[in-house]
């Protein structure tokens, strides 16, 4: 058990700020600075002051306990990694400018670790030989470096941040699946113990590799990710990958004739729908793009949906949308592109939701005109049917058909089934039961330690400041003596603080000779979960004032019972985060 010390505000380095820092937009960013948890060093780089460091240690400890509980073993790997390892995996180039690179005095290249698949694979490759030693799962909690294009929002997107990253090695897919499920369950427990409202979502694996992956999203308006969520069956997915069911509408009658209609508008779907007095879902949107080889594609989707470029890029190598100049170079008319009468050689890709829709309203490939009653299959042919649209609110759940809701999320963790991507590229093999050499089957599991601190603050704050869940607060109870120098108030407060401490409660005492208003405001800004106010007037009546930060509710406690009552409350509240 850790030895507890009484924290004294008179001694604490916690320079809180009264005003919001100018360059901070989000509550978490502002409050973590104002409450003296951290200070900015450079864009996306922060130092943690004593209070913030306590919070950081607590998050780490929760993550550590949950990893240890599933048999994942802690180690520590270096931040500086030989460039050679990154060449072996192919990521020296693939990782691009996000990888911080250095060169030593002997002209050797190194990377500052953004993640550790290469290093852990090389450790295992060189040492682990037999299937008998598998599975093995290892983790560390360490600084990571990514030269993000837009470091912003404080701890949410840093260039230097703390991550817990775990890696597992297996001799079968079943074994990987088993550990992946354990990791996912551990991530859900971590979220609960941090007090985070979250959803696990289907996601894209990005450049890390692998196919099966889940992101853990802390729900918050400030989140950069969009998540569709089914409140009926629990299905949730990043809008980038969600396979929602769309409901495009027919324009006109099912047997309508192909008709040109004059549409003297700027070509936007909104203007078109307004002009014809129809819903955007009854129009078909056409977007022009190209692949690496310069092949031109026209992508068709329901007018009320956006193209998901990630989906397009998975389908068409290096897909990019055409700009205005490229559109006219391709012989197309911006705002009026449609599938009928396209220049030769253009390929048509249509969103799968349009399959079976009888008549479409599309651009006429003629300035100021659209075509109504367009019949797919007779007026034109689709070359590829695919899922192209970004899912959005009111689309239907692919599992149960219920309308989806849309929320924003902060990705606090992600688990991946990597398969053999790294063991293949880096030649990491073990000897199987039958004597054959096999590549390791791998999983990796990342948790954003510093990002999750910001996520917690995004979810738990009010006008006065941070509302720490008990599990993360730099101390659980703050004792506030009001009349410093008073020969009854000060000793009573100190005795209470020491009694609480002796009972195992983490206590801070605000023993500074400051005005009560200053002490209250700071206690609220910093966000101690409970405050006990010791004042001359209360003492005369034999009572102390007790305040809960989350609700700002106040009550009085008889002096004699105060310690026990608060200990009981703290112990009960701790249970919620176990
Ligand atoms: P994002 O999509 O937000 O850039 P990512 O998918 O690239 O994140 P991973 O490689 O999955 O991130 O890293 C594991 C975890 O590390 C993430 O879930 C996130 O919590 C955290 N993390 C990643 N990038 C950053 C960053 N720039 N600042 C703080 N935490 C980060
Ligand atoms: Mg991720």
């Amino acid at each position: 058990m850790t030895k507890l010390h009484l924290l004294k505000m008179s001694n604490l380095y916690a320079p809180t700020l009264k005003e919001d820092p100018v360059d901070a937009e989000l509550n978490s960013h502002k409050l973590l600075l104002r409450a003296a948890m951290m200070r900015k060093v450079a864009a996306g780089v922060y130092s943690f002051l004593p209070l913030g460091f306590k919070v950081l240690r607590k998050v780490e400890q929760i993550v550590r306990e949950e990893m240890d509980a599933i048999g994942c073993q802690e180690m520590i790997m270096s931040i500086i990694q030989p460039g050679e390892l990154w060449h072996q995996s192919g990521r020296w180039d693939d990782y691009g400018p996000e990888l911080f690179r250095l060169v030593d005095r002997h002209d050797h290249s190194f990377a500052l670790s953004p993640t550790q698949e290469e290093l852990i694979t090389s450790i295992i490759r060189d040492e682990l030989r037999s299937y008998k030693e598998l599975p093995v799962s290892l983790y560390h909690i360490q600084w990571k470096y990514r030269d993000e294009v837009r470091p912003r929002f404080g701890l949410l997107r840093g260039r230097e941040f703390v991550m817990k990253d775990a890696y597992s090695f297996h001799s079968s897919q079943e074994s990987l699946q088993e550990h992946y499920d354990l990791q996912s369950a551990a991530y859900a427990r971590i979220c609960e113990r941090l007090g985070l409202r979250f959803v696990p979502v289907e996601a894209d694996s990005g450049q890390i590799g692998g196919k099966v992956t889940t992101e853990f999203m802390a729900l918050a308006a400030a989140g950069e990710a969009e998540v569709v969520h089914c409140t009926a069956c629990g299905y949730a997915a990043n809008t980038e990958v969600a396979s929602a069911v769309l409901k495009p509408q027919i324009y006109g009658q099912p047997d309508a004739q192909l008709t040109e209609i004059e549409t003297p508008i700027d070509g936007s779907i909104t203007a078109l729908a307004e002009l014809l007095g129809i819903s955007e879902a009854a129009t078909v949107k056409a977007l022009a793009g190209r692949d690496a080889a310069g092949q031109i594609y026209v992508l068709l989707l329901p007018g009320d949906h956006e193209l998901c470029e990630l989906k397009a890029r998975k389908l068409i190598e290096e897909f990019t949308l055409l700009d205005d100049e490229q559109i006219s170079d391709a012989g197309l008319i911006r705002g009026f592109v449609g599938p009928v009468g396209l220049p030769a050689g253009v390929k048509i890709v249509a969103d799968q939701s349009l399959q079976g829709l009888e008549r479409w309203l599309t651009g006429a490939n003629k300035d100021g005109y659209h075509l109504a009653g367009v019949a797919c299959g007779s007026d034109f042919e689709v070359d590829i049917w695919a899922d192209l649209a970004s899912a959005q609110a009111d689309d239907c759940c692919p599992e149960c058909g219920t309308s989806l809701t849309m929320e924003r999320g902060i990705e606090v963790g992600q688990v991946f089934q990597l398969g053999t991507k790294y063991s293949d590229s880096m030649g990491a093999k073990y000897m199987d039961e039958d004597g054959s050499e096999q590549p390791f089957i791998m999983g990796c599991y990342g948790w954003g330690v510093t990002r999750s601190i910001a996520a917690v603050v995004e979810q738990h704050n009010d006008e006065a400041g941070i509302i720490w869940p008990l599990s993360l607060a730099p101390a659980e109870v703050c004792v506030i003596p009001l009349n410093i120098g008073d020969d009854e108030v000060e000793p009573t407060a100190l005795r209470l603080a020491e009694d609480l401490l002796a009972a195992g409660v983490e206590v801070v005492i605000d023993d500074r000779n400051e005005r009560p208003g200053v002490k209250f405001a700071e206690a609220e800004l910093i966000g101690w979960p409970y405050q006990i106010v010791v004042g001359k007037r209360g003492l005369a009546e034999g009572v102390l004032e007790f305040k809960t930060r989350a609700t700002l509710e106040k009550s009085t406690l008889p002096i004699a019972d105060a310690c026990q009552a608060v200990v009981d409350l703290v112990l009960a509240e701790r249970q919620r985060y176990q």
Side-chain angles (χ1 to χ4, degrees):
M1 195 142 159
T2 356
K3 193 167 171 195
L4 295 177
H5 298 280
L6 180 60
L7 212 56
K8 293 185 172 177
M9 288 292 276
S10 59
N11 178 49
L12 187 73
Y13 184 68
T16 56
L17 309 173
K18 285 207 180 55
E19 305 294 330
D20 280 341
V22 278
D23 56 352
E25 291 167 49
L26 299 186
N27 284 334
S28 58
H29 190 186
K30 287 180 199 164
L31 289 173
L32 288 167
L33 290 167
R34 281 191 53 210
M37 300 286 155
M38 63 178 200
R39 286 295 180 259
K40 180 173 165 178
V41 177
V45 183
Y46 293 87
S47 295
F48 286 81
L49 299 185
L51 290 177
F53 186 55
K54 281 181 188 295
V55 177
L56 178 63
R57 280 284 181 254
K58 288 193 169 187
V59 177
E60 286 181 0
Q61 188 54 24
I62 288 173
V63 173
R64 176 175 290 121
E65 287 170 13
E66 294 303 332
M67 288 297 108
D68 293 349
I70 57 166
C72 191
Q73 303 159 66
E74 187 166 17
M75 62 187 294
I76 190 94
M77 284 181 270
S78 68
I79 291 171
I80 296 188
Q81 304 181 352
E84 174 51 23
L85 288 178
W86 286 76
H87 282 295
Q88 287 173 14
S89 72
R91 286 209 291 183
W92 183 261
D93 296 324
D94 290 354
Y95 218 94
E98 269 188 35
L99 189 66
F100 271 108
R101 297 157 209 250
L102 15 133
V103 176
D104 74 4
R105 65 175 73 202
H106 307 295
D107 234 17
H108 295 142
S109 300
F110 290 85
L112 289 186
S113 168
T115 170
Q116 309 258 350
E117 284 79 12
E118 282 75 3
L119 189 50
I120 192 82
T121 307
S122 82
I123 291 175
I124 294 295
R125 171 183 66 187
D126 298 341
E127 308 264 358
L128 200 158
R129 300 252 172 265
S130 163
Y131 72 95
K132 290 182 196 154
E133 297 163 73
L134 294 173
V136 61
S137 180
L138 301 160
Y139 78 97
H140 74 162
I141 300 175
Q142 173 70 294
W143 293 102
K144 294 286 178 291
Y145 296 84
R146 294 184 185 181
D147 199 357
E148 298 272 359
V149 202
R150 274 188 299 278
R152 56 188 173 165
F153 305 147
L155 298 183
L156 285 181
R157 188 164 295 284
R159 293 197 293 171
E160 179 181 70
F161 57 96
V162 180
M163 196 202 287
K164 181 285 300 176
D165 37 332
Y167 305 89
S168 67
F169 296 82
H170 308 266
S171 57
S172 70
Q173 173 61 30
E174 296 73 60
S175 167
L176 169 62
Q177 184 68 46
E178 200 178 305
H179 191 67
Y180 179 85
D181 292 343
L182 284 175
Q183 286 280 355
S184 303
Y187 273 35
R189 279 195 299 278
I190 294 169
C191 286
E192 280 156 15
R193 293 184 62 184
L194 298 182
L196 284 173
R197 274 183 297 111
F198 74 103
V199 277
V201 307
E202 279 180 16
D204 175 60
S205 55
Q207 47 73 37
I208 200 159
K211 286 202 180 64
V212 178
T213 177
T214 306
E215 282 172 346
F216 287 77
M217 291 287 183
L219 300 173
E224 290 182 275
E226 283 181 332
V227 175
V228 285
H229 187 194
C230 174
T231 44
C233 76
Y235 170 84
N238 195 310
T239 52
E240 287 183 339
V241 302
S243 47
V245 179
L246 279 46
K247 297 167 282 189
Q249 295 165 15
I250 185 167
Y251 172 68
Q253 298 304 316
D255 57 355
Q257 293 298 305
L258 187 69
T259 326
E260 200 174 73
I261 36 180
E262 201 180 346
T263 46
I265 46 163
D266 62 0
S268 75
I269 290 289
T270 322
L272 178 65
E274 223 163 77
L275 178 77
L276 303 177
I278 55 171
S279 117
E280 292 186 8
T283 69
V284 171
K285 177 185 274 182
L287 297 161
R290 48 176 287 174
D291 65 9
Q295 166 69 45
I296 305 289
Y297 294 83
V298 163
L299 275 48
L300 302 170
L301 44 152
D304 62 337
H305 278 72
E306 297 303 322
L307 171 71
C308 173
E309 290 194 40
L310 185 71
K311 288 181 181 174
R313 276 197 298 277
K314 281 188 184 162
L315 190 73
I316 301 165
E317 204 179 329
E318 290 181 39
F319 176 83
T320 49
L321 286 168
L322 302 187
D323 61 25
D324 286 359
E325 203 180 314
Q326 292 167 324
I327 289 180
S328 42
D329 287 352
L332 302 170
I333 297 156
R334 198 184 73 86
F336 299 92
V337 180
V340 181
L342 282 169
V346 173
K347 285 198 171 154
I348 299 179
V349 190
D351 189 81
Q352 59 197 21
S353 66
L354 296 168
Q355 213 159 7
L357 187 77
E358 286 103 340
R359 304 285 154 172
W360 304 7
L361 173 68
T362 70
N365 293 315
K366 183 171 164 190
D367 200 6
Y369 288 88
H370 278 79
L371 289 176
V374 176
C376 171
S378 50
D379 296 327
F380 72 97
E381 294 286 343
V382 167
D383 294 294
I384 310 169
W385 290 102
D387 178 9
L388 293 177
S390 282
Q392 61 191 41
D394 295 332
D395 288 346
C396 295
C397 171
E399 308 278 336
C400 75
T402 309
S403 269
L404 294 166
T405 56
M406 178 114 116
E407 309 203 53
R408 299 196 76 88
I410 298 167
E411 180 200 317
V412 283
Q414 186 165 12
V415 293
F416 301 87
Q417 295 192 10
L418 291 171
T420 56
K421 172 172 163 147
Y422 294 90
S423 28
D424 281 339
S425 61
M426 298 182 68
K429 298 190 183 97
Y430 65 94
M431 196 72 81
D432 210 351
E433 221 171 337
D434 62 6
S436 66
E437 279 201 322
Q438 299 292 343
F440 293 99
I441 299 174
M442 290 174 61
C444 76
Y445 318 90
W447 180 272
V449 173
T450 42
R451 181 183 282 185
S452 53
I453 295 175
V456 168
V457 179
E458 274 308 317
Q459 288 188 358
H460 302 275
N461 70 76
D462 64 12
E463 297 213 318
I466 302 175
I467 304 173
W468 289 115
L470 194 70
S471 54
L472 295 193
E476 294 165 316
V477 177
C478 178
V479 176
I480 307 180
L482 292 184
N483 318 79
I484 295 299
D486 183 277
D487 51 10
E488 216 189 328
V489 170
E490 249 197 302
T492 308
L494 198 59
R495 204 173 328 110
L496 177 65
E498 274 166 357
D499 288 350
L500 286 167
L501 199 69
V505 172
E506 298 172 2
V507 191
V508 56
I509 184 164
D510 194 347
D511 56 346
R512 297 169 306 164
N513 194 5
E514 285 283 0
R515 283 183 294 115
V518 172
K519 292 187 178 186
F520 294 148
E522 274 197 13
E524 256 133 56
L525 175 63
I526 293 170
W528 315 111
Y530 301 111
Q531 296 161 33
I532 307 175
V533 183
V534 186
K536 216 172 156 60
R537 207 167 343 126
L539 286 192
E541 293 166 20
V543 295
L544 306 173
E545 188 180 280
F546 179 76
K547 192 164 166 186
T548 303
R549 175 65 185 89
T551 56
L552 296 176
E553 266 164 16
K554 290 180 196 168
S555 58
T556 50
L557 292 173
I559 297 177
D561 310 337
C563 180
Q564 195 55 48
V566 174
V567 170
D568 290 347
L569 193 78
V570 167
L571 295 184
E573 182 71 2
R574 274 188 200 166
Q575 289 300 321
R576 281 184 49 191
Y577 299 104
Q578 283 302 310

